[in-house]
Amino acid sequence: MFYKEILSGVAIVLTLMAFVPYIRAILSGTVKPHVFSWVIWGATTFLAFLAQLEDKGGVGAWPIGVSGSITIFIAFLAYLKRADVTITKTDWLFFVAALSSLPLWYFTSDPLWAVVLLTTVDVFGFGPTIRKAYHSPYSESLLFFGLFTVRNLLVMMAFENYSMTTLLFPAVIAAVCLLLMGMIAYRRRILATQGMGVV
C-alpha cells in the first residue's frame, strides 16, 4: 500500500501549502481569523486524529494530526494578534456548544461516537467564521479552504481502514469548506456589484 503513503505525503504537503501562506497573511494582517473558530478546530482536529489512529486509519490519519497541531498554533496567533475581537452572542453559543460537547469523548469508548461528536463540534466551529466572512468576505482566503478540500479528499483515499470512524470527519469538513467557499465567492460578487469590493 505504498500509494497510500504517497497520498498521505501529498496531503501533508497540501496542508503546509495552505497553512504557510495563511500564517503569513495573519502576521501581515491581511487575514483575520476568528479565535473561537480556531480554538474549536484545533481541539477537534487533533482529537479526531487520535480517534482515527485508534480505528487503524494508519498513514491517512497523519495529515489530520499535522493539521491539528498547526491549527492550535493558528488559534494562538489569532489570540496574540487579536485578529477578530468582535464576539457576538451567537459566537458564544457556538463556542459553548462546541466545548460542552468535548467532555463526551471521555464517556464514549467507541471511536465512532467520538468522531461523530468531534465532527459536530468542528462544524459548530465554522459558525463564527461564517458570520465574519459573510460580513467581510475578503477577510478569508478562498485558496486556503480550497486546498483543505483537496487535502481532505486525499486523506480519505489514504486511509488504511475505511470506516465511518475514519471517513466521517474529513468528508464533512471538505463539504463545509466547499460551502464556505461558495458563500465567500457569492458575497464578494455581491459587494463588487454594489461597488464596495475591496481587493
Side-chain angles (χ1 to χ4, degrees):
M1 289 199 229
F2 181 66
Y3 76 95
K4 291 187 179 287
E5 292 175 3
I6 293 172
L7 289 172
S8 181
V10 171
I12 289 172
V13 168
L14 284 176
T15 300
L16 295 174
M17 285 175 60
F19 275 130
V20 168
Y22 196 80
I23 290 169
R24 282 189 192 137
I26 292 169
L27 294 174
S28 72
T30 56
V31 168
K32 297 168 178 60
H34 198 290
V35 67
F36 275 21
S37 288
W38 287 92
V39 166
I40 292 166
W41 291 334
T44 56
T45 302
F46 199 77
L47 290 171
F49 160 67
L50 296 176
Q52 289 166 344
L53 284 181
E54 185 177 329
D55 197 49
K56 299 176 178 44
V59 297
W62 296 353
I64 302 296
V66 169
S67 183
S69 301
I70 298 172
T71 302
I72 290 167
F73 175 69
I74 289 178
F76 178 69
L77 275 182
Y79 175 76
L80 283 182
K81 297 289 280 182
R82 302 296 198 277
D84 184 354
V85 294
T86 306
I87 299 171
T88 66
K89 290 179 183 177
T90 306
D91 294 341
W92 276 108
L93 177 67
F94 283 125
F95 186 66
V96 170
L99 292 184
S100 66
S101 299
L102 288 175
L104 294 176
W105 167 281
Y106 178 77
F107 298 108
T108 61
S109 57
D110 182 354
L112 172 60
W113 288 110
V115 170
V116 167
L117 294 171
L118 292 169
T119 302
T120 302
V121 169
D122 210 72
V123 171
F124 277 132
F126 275 89
T129 293
I130 289 169
R131 179 193 56 79
K132 178 182 70 76
Y134 181 84
H135 295 290
S136 183
Y138 290 93
S139 69
E140 287 295 344
S141 166
L142 284 173
L143 177 62
F144 177 81
F145 290 105
L147 287 172
F148 267 89
T149 301
V150 174
R151 189 283 309 263
N152 282 336
L153 296 174
L154 290 173
V155 163
M156 291 165 57
M157 292 186 288
F159 281 127
E160 294 175 21
N161 177 37
Y162 293 108
S163 69
M164 189 63 88
T165 300
T166 58
L167 295 172
L168 180 66
F169 184 81
V172 169
I173 300 310
V176 175
C177 284
L178 281 173
L179 290 172
L180 178 59
M181 289 169 56
M183 188 269 295
I184 290 170
Y186 172 75
R187 290 293 297 155
R188 286 179 180 182
R189 199 173 15 207
I190 293 296
L191 290 178
T193 59
Q194 295 174 347
M196 301 185 320
V198 179
V199 177

